[in-house]
């Protein structure tokens, strides 16, 4: 057979094979569609049973239900748990405990499919059951960074003490995991134990970890962190200086004034912008002259944020804006825009 | 004097042979690329971790989100603008704003949106980071705090409207959406996840476009997924499936994705400004901005990724008549050629990494060379075979690359869809789509290539403008 004949034959075989495969898939779909319709009907009946049980404040009469039914109950209840809180949530969890749902999720932690393991962790976390600690610890060594991150979240929600060093190593922070979801994890950590995250900030040797620590300390609602954050403002890294100003703005303490003033004169425009935002959020009237100076900044965002900050400072800031807006300059243009924006708000 | 036909045929025999080799060779290369894309797409889909349902997606993804501006350029979109704006305002996303940019429409687009949302003219401070046609006014309403409407002078096309939106936007990410499109409620949440997973490197993300023709729409939402009843739209369903599920997913796996649809794509605002925004002197601005992203990041030696995520879906209406479809396809072809020749130095240039070698190499084969070569084959190959200039084997190989491999690739992407995504609700849909996947190779594909050659011709004549297309609104409720 020549190459040309082989091309012709191969194309015909592939085309026919693909159409045949599609035919098989259509047949499979016909069968699964029928099963899905039946399952949906059964789910409706089971949903009614679940709501009835919740209304009575009693458990589900699980005796008459098949293993398949219990699986469905697990699915329905886990879906509902995402939308309710308080007593209703507790009652739903009690119903879930009557089923084999938890055991099944535990089994799925060993599934070769990452999506299944991730789903299992999310479902297990809903039980808030200390018995699950060992399973979740084991999941911290999962090959998938998404599963490891979900397990760390679940452990923290269970109030299990986790060492920061352990989290960093197991999650591969800065190497395998760069997700923004890490921030939420460290925020939880900092709220629980500010000292540990402060230690991390002092000992960190990577900018990724420093940024993570600053971010979480800024949301720790603990003013003890202020001196340490202020000390770190000497960092040569623009992102670190910007993150510190963001954290100080979140904390909202007037002790941030010297750093904000320093930030307003920073060579990097991102830092100046963030300093202006911070001054406005904390309401630092002492920074009004520095903000007025920034209205002449070469960067539009700095001018805009400085004008917005002045607009938030009350009569002193607004009169400064009005004074500048009466003249003719780039500063005046920004001041006029922010004043007109403010009057429409 | 009579012509010596046997001699003439003999003289052109070598030409016929080499023409056949060119057509078959190019077809084989293209089909090999498609087959590799099919395999790459399959491996990605197998490994992804889908989250079913809106509520679960919210719990899983909302913590890691960042503010996003939806940019909706609108030129004479009176029919669809209110419905699509409502759909965007109802998105499930923690922090976003919608900026509708009326590009000096000469129908009632601006009035429709002002009346529907009770907007008033306001002042909004913004920097002209990218030069655009003047902005006549900015409108908003306290009743819809997430909505901003920008009214600008017409000029510079959709690209200029998007640039004006980028200027007015204040979020780190923007999402370019067509005004005649509907986003699924959790699509923003899902598409931004790729950025949240790696905010340092991810600079742009594309989502899937699906056809709303035939679907039931209510209050800016698709309430029932139906296949189109129009044959042209049905062929386009298969075409979009192949392009998005197989093509884009495959290219994104090797970071050589060269096109994010203008109907639905997320971009980092700072990088878009660094590259000077969308180019206003060409019609393929959505292709060109991605090329500019690749080029800029490579020239700056910065580590970056451009992703495609198959789950988030944007619904759009496609043309259902030959005239409108022809205009659209000629314009797409012209856009691809303009972008290719503007950045031709990237072609197979190792300095631009995979984007240059693979991505641009593919544009050269699929968009620059393939249409004229394939069309040439339609006329010459049967003629050469009938006149005995071509052997049956060569002619059979030609039929293989033009028709049979096409069936395999089209049905293959449908198999992938059914195995991994199952987004078509009924088994009867699958039967119809399989028939369309086979039939599109016998007529539709050839017409499409003729339009693309028309696009080539327009490019050579330096034609300008988008051409007038008839707009069809979303289906009845």
């Amino acid at each position: 057979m020549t190459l040309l004949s082989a091309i012709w034959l191969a194309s015909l075989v592939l085309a026919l094979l693909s159409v045949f495969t599609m035919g098989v898939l259509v047949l499979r779909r016909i069968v699964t569609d029928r099963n899905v319709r039946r399952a949906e009907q059964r789910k409706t009946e089971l949903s009614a049973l679940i709501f009835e049980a919740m209304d009575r404040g009693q458990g589900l009469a699980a005796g008459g239900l098949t293993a398949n039914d219990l699986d469905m109950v697990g699915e329905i209840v886990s879906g509902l748990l995402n939308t309710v809180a308080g007593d209703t949530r507790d009652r739903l969890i009690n119903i879930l405990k009557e089923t084999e749902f938890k055991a099944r999720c535990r089994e799925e932690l060993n599934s070769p499919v990452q999506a299944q393991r991730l789903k299992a962790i999310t479902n297990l976390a809903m039980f808030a059951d200390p018995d699950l600690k060992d399973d979740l610890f084991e999941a911290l060594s999962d090959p998938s960074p998404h599963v490891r991150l979900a397990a760390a979240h679940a452990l923290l929600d269970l109030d299990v003490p986790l060492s920061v060093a352990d989290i960093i190593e197991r999650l591969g922070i800065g190497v395998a995991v760069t997700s923004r979801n890490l921030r939420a994890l460290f925020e939880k950590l900092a709220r629980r134990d500010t000292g540990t995250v402060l230690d991390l900030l002092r000992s960190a040797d990577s900018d990724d970890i420093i940024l993570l620590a600053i971010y979480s300390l800024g949301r720790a609602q603990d003013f003890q962190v202020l001196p340490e954050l202020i000390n770190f403002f000497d960092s040569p890294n623009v992102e670190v200086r910007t993150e510190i100003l963001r954290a100080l703005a979140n904390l909202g303490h007037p002790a941030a004034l010297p750093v904000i003033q320093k930030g307003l004169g920073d060579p990097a425009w991102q830092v100046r912008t963030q300093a202006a935002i911070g001054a406005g959020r904390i309401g630092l009237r002492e920074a009004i002259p520095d903000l007025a100076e920034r209205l002449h900044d070469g960067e539009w965002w700095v001018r805009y944020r400085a004008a917005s900050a002045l607009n938030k400072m009350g009569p002193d800031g607004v009169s400064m804006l009005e004074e500048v807006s009466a003249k003719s300059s780039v500063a005046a243009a920004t001041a006029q825009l922010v004043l007109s924006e403010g009057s429409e708000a | 004097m009579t012509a010596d036909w046997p001699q003439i045929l003999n003289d052109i025999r070598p030409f016929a042979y080499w023409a056949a080799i060119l057509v078959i060779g190019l077809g084989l290369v293209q089909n090999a690329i498609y087959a590799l894309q099919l395999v790459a797409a399959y491996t990605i889909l197998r490994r992804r971790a889908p989250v079913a349902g809106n509520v679960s997606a919210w719990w899983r993804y909302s913590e890691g989100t960042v503010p996003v501006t939806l940019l909706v350029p609108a030129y004479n979109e009176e029919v669809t603008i209110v419905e699509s704006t409502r759909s965007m305002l109802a998105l499930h996303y923690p922090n976003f704003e919608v900026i509708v940019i009326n590009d000096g429409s000469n129908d009632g687009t601006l009035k429709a949106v002002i009346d529907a949302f009770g907007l008033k003219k306001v002042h909004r401070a913004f920097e002209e980071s990218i030069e655009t046609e003047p902005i006549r006014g900015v409108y908003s309403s306290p009743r819809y705090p997430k909505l901003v409407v920008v009214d600008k002078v017409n000029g510079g096309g959709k690209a200029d409207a998007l640039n004006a939106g980028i200027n007015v936007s204040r979020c780190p990410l923007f999402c370019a959406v067509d005004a005649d499109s509907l986003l699924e409620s959790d699509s923003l949440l899902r598409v931004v996840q790729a950025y949240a997973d790696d905010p340092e490197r991810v600079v742009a993300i594309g989502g899937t476009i699906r056809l709303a023709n035939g679907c039931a729409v209510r209050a800016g939402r698709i309430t029932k997924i139906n296949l189109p009843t129009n044959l042209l739209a049905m062929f386009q369903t298969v075409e979009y499936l192949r392009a998005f599920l197989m093509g884009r997913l495959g290219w994104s796996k090797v970071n050589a994705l060269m096109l994010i649809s203008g109907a639905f794509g997320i971009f980092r605002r700072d990088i878009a400004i660094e590259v000077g925004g969308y180019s206003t002197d060409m019609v393929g601005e959505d292709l060109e901005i991605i090329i500019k992203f690749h080029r800029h990041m490579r020239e700056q030696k910065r580590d970056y990724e451009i992703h495609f995520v198959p789950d988030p879906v944007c619904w759009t209406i496609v043309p259902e008549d030959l005239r409108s479809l022809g205009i659209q396809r000629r314009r797409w072809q012209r856009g691809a050629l303009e972008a290719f020749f503007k950045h031709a130095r990237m072609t197979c240039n190792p300095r631009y990494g995979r984007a240059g070698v693979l991505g641009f190499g593919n544009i050269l084969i699929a968009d620059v060379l393939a249409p004229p070569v394939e069309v040439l084959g339609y006329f010459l190959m049967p003629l050469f075979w009938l006149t005995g200039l071509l052997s049956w084997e060569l002619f059979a190989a030609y039929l293989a690359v033009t028709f049979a491999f096409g069936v395999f690739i089209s049905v293959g992407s449908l198999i992938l869809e059914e195995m991994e995504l199952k987004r078509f609700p009924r088994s009867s849909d699958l039967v119809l789509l399989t028939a369309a996947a086979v039939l599109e190779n016998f007529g539709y594909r050839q017409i499409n290539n003729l339009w693309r050659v028309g696009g080539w011709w327009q490019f050579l004549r330096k034609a300008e403008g988008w051409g007038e297309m008839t707009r069809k609104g979303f289906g009845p409720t």
Side-chain angles (χ1 to χ4, degrees):
Chain A
M1 188 194 293
T2 64
L3 176 67
L4 293 170
S5 322
I7 292 170
W8 168 240
L9 249 159
S11 72
L12 280 185
V13 168
L14 286 172
L16 289 172
L17 198 65
S18 61
V19 174
F20 175 75
T21 310
M22 201 57 221
V24 172
L25 289 174
V26 170
L27 289 176
R28 188 184 74 164
R29 175 66 91 84
I30 291 169
V31 174
T32 53
D33 274 358
R34 195 181 303 154
N35 292 341
V36 166
R37 271 198 300 277
R38 277 188 202 143
E40 287 302 321
Q41 200 180 337
R42 186 63 184 143
K43 267 188 188 174
T44 312
E45 292 162 10
L46 289 170
S47 298
L49 281 179
I50 291 167
F51 288 123
E52 206 178 296
M54 281 171 64
D55 285 344
R56 286 198 316 264
Q58 293 169 358
L60 197 68
L65 301 178
T66 64
N68 218 6
D69 285 342
L70 289 173
D71 271 354
M72 281 190 209
V73 169
E75 252 180 69
I76 297 165
V77 173
S78 63
L80 286 171
L81 279 173
N82 281 321
T83 56
V84 294
D87 284 351
T88 316
R89 189 182 166 87
D90 293 343
R91 265 180 275 167
L92 278 173
I93 294 210
N94 283 336
I95 289 177
L96 210 51
K97 280 178 182 167
E98 292 175 44
T99 69
E100 295 296 311
F101 188 66
K102 193 160 77 174
R104 199 155 295 239
C105 289
R106 272 180 150 153
E107 277 169 27
E108 279 185 355
L109 284 175
N110 299 316
S111 162
V113 184
Q114 176 200 301
Q116 294 290 353
R117 299 198 301 277
L118 196 55
K119 195 174 161 195
I121 295 268
T122 315
N123 286 333
L124 285 174
M126 292 188 294
F127 286 96
D129 187 344
D131 284 357
L132 296 167
K133 209 173 72 176
D134 292 341
D135 298 289
L136 294 172
F137 259 118
E138 207 172 307
L140 277 181
S141 307
D142 193 279
S144 155
H146 297 288
V147 176
R148 297 202 296 272
L149 191 56
H153 268 290
L155 281 167
L156 279 182
D157 289 340
L158 280 175
D159 274 331
V160 174
L162 281 179
S163 103
V164 175
D166 204 25
I167 291 184
I168 288 173
E169 195 197 323
R170 295 228 201 182
L171 261 58
I173 292 170
V175 187
V177 178
T178 52
S179 165
R180 283 176 59 87
N181 277 329
L182 263 182
R183 294 179 163 207
L185 183 77
F186 271 74
E187 197 178 324
K188 274 182 201 166
L189 261 176
R191 287 198 172 157
R192 198 152 305 169
D193 185 1
T194 312
T196 319
V197 182
L198 265 178
D199 288 343
L200 174 71
L201 178 64
R202 291 184 197 115
S203 61
D205 51 4
S206 115
D207 281 345
D208 283 337
I209 295 174
I210 291 173
L211 286 167
L212 203 53
I214 296 169
Y215 171 87
S216 44
L217 289 172
R219 279 155 182 78
Q221 294 162 346
D222 184 347
F223 292 137
Q224 281 182 50
V225 304
L226 274 167
E228 203 70 42
L229 288 178
I230 289 169
N231 283 342
F232 255 83
F233 194 70
D234 290 332
S235 166
N237 185 325
V238 172
E239 278 183 65
V240 170
R241 297 204 297 280
T242 312
E243 196 61 58
I244 285 173
L245 289 168
R246 211 171 277 136
L248 292 174
N250 269 327
L251 289 165
H253 197 285
L257 177 67
V259 181
I260 297 275
Q261 283 174 320
K262 206 171 166 185
L264 284 168
D266 197 278
W269 70 269
Q270 298 93 325
V271 181
R272 297 199 298 279
T273 307
Q274 197 53 53
I277 294 171
R281 280 188 67 178
I282 306 173
L284 296 169
R285 287 190 188 172
E286 297 84 342
I288 287 178
D290 306 87
L291 287 168
E293 209 175 299
R294 290 278 64 89
L295 289 175
H296 299 273
D297 200 288
E299 277 292 330
W300 184 88
W301 278 106
V302 182
R303 294 200 299 276
Y304 173 69
R305 293 300 184 192
S308 301
L310 284 169
N311 204 29
K312 285 181 184 167
M313 296 280 182
D316 292 349
V318 172
S319 59
M320 175 64 80
L321 269 183
E322 284 168 348
E323 194 184 309
V324 174
S325 70
K327 296 166 191 165
S328 170
S329 63
V330 283
T334 314
Q336 283 159 13
L337 271 169
V338 169
L339 280 170
S340 52
E341 257 191 351
S343 65
E344 283 157 2
Chain B
M1 202 173 85
T2 54
D4 184 2
W5 283 109
Q7 185 56 43
I8 293 171
L9 289 176
N10 219 25
D11 287 348
I12 58 173
R13 192 177 297 277
F15 167 74
Y17 175 77
W18 286 111
I21 293 294
L22 174 70
V23 172
I24 295 165
L26 197 67
L28 279 177
V29 171
Q30 263 194 291
N31 283 305
I33 293 171
Y34 292 147
L36 287 174
Q37 285 175 346
L38 206 57
V39 174
Y42 176 73
T43 56
I44 295 177
L45 287 173
R46 287 300 292 172
R47 283 184 203 152
R48 86 196 208 291
V51 175
N54 293 347
V55 179
S56 306
W58 178 272
W59 287 111
R60 171 75 64 80
Y61 298 141
S62 59
E63 274 184 344
T65 57
V66 282
V68 177
T69 301
L70 271 94
L71 298 182
V72 191
Y75 177 68
N76 291 350
E77 302 280 359
E78 187 182 1
V79 184
T80 55
I81 191 66
V82 173
E83 188 105 53
S84 55
T85 305
R86 276 193 209 288
S87 137
M88 286 168 209
L89 287 171
L91 288 176
H92 294 185
Y93 195 78
N95 189 357
F96 72 101
E97 62 176 356
V98 179
I99 299 184
V100 176
I101 309 111
N102 175 47
D103 191 17
S105 302
N106 47 33
D107 67 351
T109 302
L110 184 64
K111 189 176 179 314
V113 79
I114 284 176
D115 290 349
F117 298 100
L119 305 177
K120 295 247 171 356
K121 201 167 186 176
V122 295
H123 289 92
R124 177 164 164 130
F126 60 88
E127 181 189 26
E128 268 202 54
S129 309
I130 307 164
E131 204 179 317
T132 67
E133 293 294 322
I135 288 176
R136 289 190 288 225
V138 179
Y139 298 80
S140 71
S141 159
R143 280 171 58 208
Y144 296 93
K146 287 180 178 166
L147 176 64
V148 175
V149 173
V150 174
D151 179 33
K152 71 175 275 287
V153 172
N154 180 254
K158 183 182 166 188
D160 198 66
L162 284 166
N163 288 340
I166 293 172
N167 283 342
V168 174
S169 145
R170 288 178 186 168
C171 299
L173 299 180
F174 71 86
C175 177
V177 192
D178 275 353
D180 57 353
S181 301
L182 298 177
L183 289 181
E184 273 187 4
S185 59
D186 57 2
S187 51
L188 208 51
L189 207 52
R190 291 171 188 271
V191 76
V192 170
Q193 186 57 27
Y195 171 80
D197 276 344
D198 196 351
E200 295 302 316
R201 292 194 300 163
V202 174
V203 293
I205 315 151
T208 300
I209 310 291
R210 290 185 67 189
L211 273 60
N213 301 53
C215 295
V217 179
R218 192 174 162 195
R221 288 267 164 280
I222 300 282
T223 52
K224 193 173 181 202
I225 300 172
N226 295 319
L227 283 182
T229 47
N230 176 284
L231 191 64
L232 272 183
M234 181 72 97
F235 287 144
Q236 289 174 80
T237 306
V238 177
E239 210 181 6
Y240 273 58
L241 197 70
R242 197 174 53 231
F244 284 90
L245 192 58
M246 189 187 82
R248 312 252 163 113
L249 204 53
W251 287 122
S252 96
K253 186 174 168 63
V254 290
N255 201 22
L257 181 63
M258 303 308 280
L259 174 62
I260 284 179
S261 167
F264 181 37
I266 291 263
F267 303 86
R268 251 173 68 179
R269 183 180 181 272
D270 57 344
I271 307 289
I273 290 172
E274 281 175 31
V275 302
Y278 289 89
S279 299
T280 54
D281 57 349
M282 54 179 55
V283 289
E285 76 290 324
D286 48 357
L287 168 68
E288 208 253 347
I289 196 163
I290 297 299
I291 295 174
K292 285 206 284 191
F293 267 49
H294 278 296
R295 187 170 177 171
H296 178 71
M297 299 304 278
R298 286 276 172 190
E299 286 175 352
Q300 300 247 319
K301 297 189 180 1
R302 284 156 72 178
D303 195 11
Y304 74 102
E305 278 179 12
I306 294 176
H307 277 258
F308 174 78
V309 191
D311 298 297
V313 168
C314 171
W315 297 87
T316 195
I317 298 282
V318 298
E320 291 189 346
D321 61 282
L322 283 169
R323 186 184 161 273
S324 300
L325 188 60
I327 290 170
Q328 183 196 57
R329 296 308 160 95
R330 280 190 286 270
R331 190 183 72 232
W332 284 2
Q333 178 64 26
R334 187 154 47 100
L337 294 172
E338 284 173 354
F340 176 81
F341 286 105
K342 186 173 174 185
H343 300 276
R345 60 178 297 189
M346 285 177 73
T347 316
C348 301
N349 186 341
R351 186 187 173 198
Y352 296 98
R354 290 170 179 175
V357 177
L358 299 176
F360 240 75
N362 182 58
I363 295 179
L364 173 68
I365 293 168
D367 294 317
V368 180
L369 299 175
V373 170
E374 207 168 318
V375 168
L376 201 70
Y378 298 153
F379 295 105
L380 293 183
M381 294 302 111
L383 189 71
F384 288 160
W385 181 59
L386 287 171
T387 51
L389 290 172
L390 220 56
S391 66
W392 160 246
E393 282 189 324
L394 267 173
F395 189 61
Y398 163 73
L399 294 177
V401 295
T402 311
F403 301 102
F405 276 130
V407 171
F408 164 65
I409 298 295
S410 296
V411 180
S413 46
L414 197 56
I415 290 172
L416 198 60
E417 150 72 38
E418 176 57 13
M419 281 172 70
E420 296 299 325
L421 299 171
K422 290 192 179 65
R423 287 184 292 206
F424 293 99
R426 291 167 291 271
S427 45
S428 56
D429 293 345
L430 298 179
V431 175
L432 288 172
L433 283 169
T434 310
V438 174
L439 290 176
E440 68 149 351
N441 291 284
F442 304 93
Y444 177 73
R445 175 174 162 175
Q446 289 71 26
I447 295 171
N448 217 334
N449 274 317
L450 284 170
W451 285 327
R452 294 178 76 189
V453 170
W456 243 114
W457 177 239
Q458 286 183 349
F459 170 73
L460 293 173
R461 283 175 48 231
K462 300 194 187 315
E464 288 180 354
W466 279 46
E468 286 295 321
M469 280 169 60
T470 315
R471 281 272 176 241
K472 182 178 179 289
F474 291 105
T477 59

